[in-house]
Amino acid sequence: MKRREVIKLCASSLAAGAVAGPSWAQEKMVWKASDVHPLGYPTVEAIQRMGKKLEAQTNGRISIQMFPSMQLGGEKEMIEQAQVGALQIARISVGAMGPVVDDLNVFNMPFIFRDEAHMRKVIDGPIGQELLDRVSNSPQSKLIVLGWMDAGTRSVYSNKPITKPADLKGMKIRMMGNPLFVETMNAMGGNGVAMGFNELFSALQTGVVDGAENNPPTLLAQNHYTVSKVYSLTGHLIIPEIFVFSKRTWETLSKSDQDLVRKLSREAQFEQRQLWDQYVGEAETKLKAAGIQFVQTDKPAFYKATQPIRDKYGAKYAALMKRIEDTK
């Protein structure tokens, strides 16, 4: 037998022994977690709190080391690292998993949720669990989905009030680089422009775009409020996010460890929500203190204007959309 084959065989035997051996259960594990957001951001904080509980409830056997602010790359890189077991926990957007489980894309449509309370009812209930299970059971994903996270409601910000679709006429509004989002803004009356998030601040400063859309914490954290003074509450997109675990690592865990992770993940889902609501409230207070004008809009008019988008992209999700609509 060649030396390389012997080494490979030994390594396999050792790995098998490590999993099966009685000492394995006591081996200290440090799991890596990553997020594109900075320390203190609700999604990051919720996972860090989960890590502290995990460490306490396993007497220090399992802990989580957080790598925030894209230290391990963007969402695409985080997914790839989790799939091979180099990273255990990652918070990623629904958009990134859409190619794996197509039904997730239903959440990317405008006004699919009546409001955030409705969105939370959907993700906390059977629909939310079914979608998580589909990702976890998909052979392509190589990920176990632990839960949902809140990313708030997205509205338009610019330097003039937007109260109805006609107000957006001729305005270039930055959108996430997805045809569905660009077409949504076009339907709302504006001119959707796909642009990288890292380019947006200078584009707003120089007038390459007239505005953008996002949640209040982003408007504050990215300093966009220094160049866009009006936040118009269109509420056209409410897109939840997910946090995932490496299936490769998951399959090495005991049933009791898996159960503990699932329990703490459910708690993290609701803790993140409380953190998010507080974070949004603080961001809105700071924005108003900085002179940002919050403007109410004719939401029914924007809903009606975007009906062609739901018709075009939602035809294949008709049954799921009906279930979402019927969720009270």
Side-chain angles (χ1 to χ4, degrees):
M1 190 180 285
K2 291 180 182 174
R3 183 170 178 273
R4 184 181 297 172
E5 291 171 341
V6 171
I7 292 169
K8 190 182 289 186
L9 184 62
C10 290
S12 299
S13 301
L14 284 168
V19 173
S23 63
W24 167 78
Q26 298 307 315
E27 182 186 334
K28 179 158 174 58
M29 292 181 274
V30 180
W31 292 341
K32 288 183 180 177
S34 187
D35 201 316
V36 300
H37 295 302
L39 288 174
Y41 198 85
T43 54
V44 176
E45 179 66 22
I47 296 299
Q48 287 189 297
R49 291 186 183 190
M50 175 179 159
K52 286 173 186 170
K53 290 182 190 176
L54 194 60
E55 194 164 6
Q57 293 182 37
T58 61
N59 295 315
R61 183 169 55 84
I62 304 174
S63 59
I64 293 176
Q65 183 180 7
M66 172 59 74
F67 293 85
S69 303
M70 293 188 274
Q71 287 180 32
L72 301 182
E75 291 189 348
K76 181 176 180 289
E77 290 78 18
M78 291 191 302
I79 291 170
E80 290 167 354
Q81 289 171 62
Q83 286 172 330
V84 300
L87 172 67
Q88 279 67 51
I89 299 174
R91 196 280 314 148
I92 55 177
S93 68
V94 161
M97 294 308 296
V100 179
V101 175
D102 186 64
D103 280 353
L104 285 172
N105 288 314
V106 76
F107 291 163
N108 290 328
M109 286 192 292
F111 299 104
I112 191 67
F113 300 114
R114 291 184 289 277
D115 49 34
E116 278 188 51
H118 178 218
M119 181 271 288
R120 291 170 176 181
K121 281 276 177 63
V122 171
I123 63 174
D124 290 346
I127 295 173
Q129 192 57 53
E130 284 167 30
L131 292 176
L132 296 188
D133 290 344
R134 279 188 220 172
V135 179
S136 296
N137 295 331
S138 163
Q140 301 105 292
S141 83
K142 300 177 186 172
L143 300 167
I144 299 294
V145 187
L146 298 178
W148 295 97
M149 286 195 167
D150 204 317
T153 302
R154 300 172 76 100
S155 290
V156 175
Y157 51 88
S158 62
N159 276 319
K160 74 168 196 176
I162 307 295
T163 61
K164 56 190 182 299
D167 294 337
L168 279 164
K169 186 176 181 181
M171 293 183 69
K172 299 185 293 293
I173 306 294
R174 180 266 174 184
M175 302 297 287
M176 291 182 280
N178 178 323
L180 190 156
F181 297 136
V182 172
E183 288 177 41
T184 291
M185 180 49 60
N186 293 345
M188 286 171 64
N191 178 14
V193 177
M195 177 181 288
F197 193 62
N198 57 325
E199 304 169 49
L200 180 53
F201 184 80
S202 63
L204 287 165
Q205 268 187 321
T206 56
V208 171
V209 293
D210 302 302
E213 49 83 63
N214 218 308
N215 52 49
T218 299
L219 178 61
L220 178 70
Q222 301 297 326
N223 291 318
H224 294 172
Y225 72 95
T226 61
V227 284
S228 295
K229 299 296 185 182
V230 184
Y231 191 73
S232 301
L233 298 163
T234 52
H236 52 282
L237 290 173
I238 302 174
I239 309 173
E241 299 174 332
I242 55 178
F243 59 113
V244 300
F245 196 93
S246 168
K247 187 176 280 188
R248 193 162 186 170
T249 304
W250 185 261
E251 289 171 347
T252 70
L253 302 181
S254 66
K255 175 71 164 55
S256 60
D257 280 347
Q258 290 179 350
D259 290 344
L260 178 59
V261 171
R262 287 202 184 279
K263 173 182 172 288
L264 296 181
S265 295
R266 187 70 171 174
E267 291 175 14
Q269 175 168 321
F270 292 102
E271 268 193 63
Q272 187 270 342
R273 185 171 300 171
Q274 292 175 326
L275 290 165
W276 178 261
D277 288 344
Q278 182 182 341
Y279 199 77
V280 170
E282 290 169 358
E284 289 181 356
T285 298
K286 288 175 182 174
L287 289 167
K288 287 172 182 174
I292 300 304
Q293 183 184 354
F294 280 69
V295 175
Q296 295 297 326
T297 67
D298 182 355
K299 277 196 181 180
F302 285 111
Y303 179 87
K304 185 178 178 183
T306 53
Q307 187 59 49
I309 305 299
R310 288 183 294 281
D311 291 342
K312 175 181 176 179
Y313 287 95
K316 59 183 174 180
Y317 311 122
L320 181 56
M321 287 173 68
K322 181 71 169 67
R323 288 180 65 201
I324 291 171
E325 186 182 340
D326 290 346
T327 300
K328 304 298 181 192

